[in-house]
Amino acid sequence: MDFSNNSENSSFGSSNDTKVLNNMLAREILKRQALENKVTTLERQIQALVTDVAATKTTYMTLQHATEGVSLRQNNMAASLQTITQRVDSENDNIKQRLRYLSNITSKLQTSGVPTPQASVAFLARVTTDNPTQHGPTVSFEMTDFNLGNGYFPSWGYSCHL
């Protein structure tokens, strides 16, 4: 039996095994580096998403605050408009009362036989649309609240000479 060949075979086999193991180790190292690169890329993407979420939250909160401000301003404007409307309605009622009072006084004066220096004419008429009917200098109103001295004729309108 020749032992020298055995040791040659054994060293040759050992050398091949080492090469195979080194190749396997190199492949595993490359796989590990590829995985580490993927992990690094995913970590960057996650960080970018976290930053985007934080920016989105900030934008959302800013918009929510702005919306609350707009709602508050709308409520304030609605309350102001309601107050103004109440004042206008109240003033219109006062004017109607004064005109009725004047009409009563005029009627009493006319029925009592006391001569009046001049016939009084006053009317309160209004339109309920944005575009009143107008033909030349004549304007036709849609509602007549008061017509002292019958100076306004709804069928004719009111003619004003400017």
Side-chain angles (χ1 to χ4, degrees), residues 68-137:
E68 289 169 358
V70 167
S71 295
L72 181 61
R73 285 192 295 273
Q74 285 177 336
N75 290 341
N76 289 342
M77 290 173 79
S80 295
L81 183 58
Q82 184 177 9
T83 301
I84 290 169
T85 302
Q86 289 171 347
R87 286 181 191 163
V88 167
D89 288 346
S90 175
E91 190 59 32
N92 281 340
D93 289 343
N94 288 339
I95 289 171
K96 287 177 189 177
Q97 286 176 348
R98 290 177 189 153
L99 289 174
R100 279 190 214 104
Y101 176 73
L102 289 173
S103 177
N104 288 339
I105 290 174
T106 303
S107 295
K108 287 178 184 176
L109 287 174
Q110 288 173 346
T111 56
S112 69
V114 177
T116 56
Q118 184 177 2
S120 298
V121 175
F123 65 89
L124 177 60
R126 57 190 161 118
V127 293
T128 58
T129 63
D130 290 338
N131 299 313
T133 306
Q134 183 172 359
H135 302 286

Side-chain angles (χ1 to χ4, degrees), residues 42-90:
L42 289 173
E43 285 174 344
R44 286 184 189 142
Q45 290 174 348
I46 289 170
Q47 186 58 43
L49 289 173
V50 167
T51 302
D52 287 348
V53 166
T56 301
K57 282 182 181 179
T58 301
T59 302
Y60 172 77
M61 293 183 75
T62 301
L63 288 173
Q64 186 178 17
H65 182 70
T67 302
E68 289 169 358
V70 167
S71 295
L72 181 61
R73 285 192 295 273
Q74 285 177 336
N75 290 341
N76 289 342
M77 290 173 79
S80 295
L81 183 58
Q82 184 177 9
T83 301
I84 290 169
T85 302
Q86 289 171 347
R87 286 181 191 163
V88 167
D89 288 346
S90 175

Side-chain angles (χ1 to χ4, degrees), residues 132-141 154-161:
T133 306
Q134 183 172 359
H135 302 286
T138 304
V139 178
S140 294
F141 297 95
S155 59
W156 299 350
Y158 174 71
S159 179
C160 60
H161 302 284

Side-chain angles (χ1 to χ4, degrees), residues 1-11:
M1 191 174 223
D2 186 10
F3 289 106
S4 63
N5 279 343
N6 239 352
S7 69
E8 270 182 33
N9 284 342
S10 140
S11 70

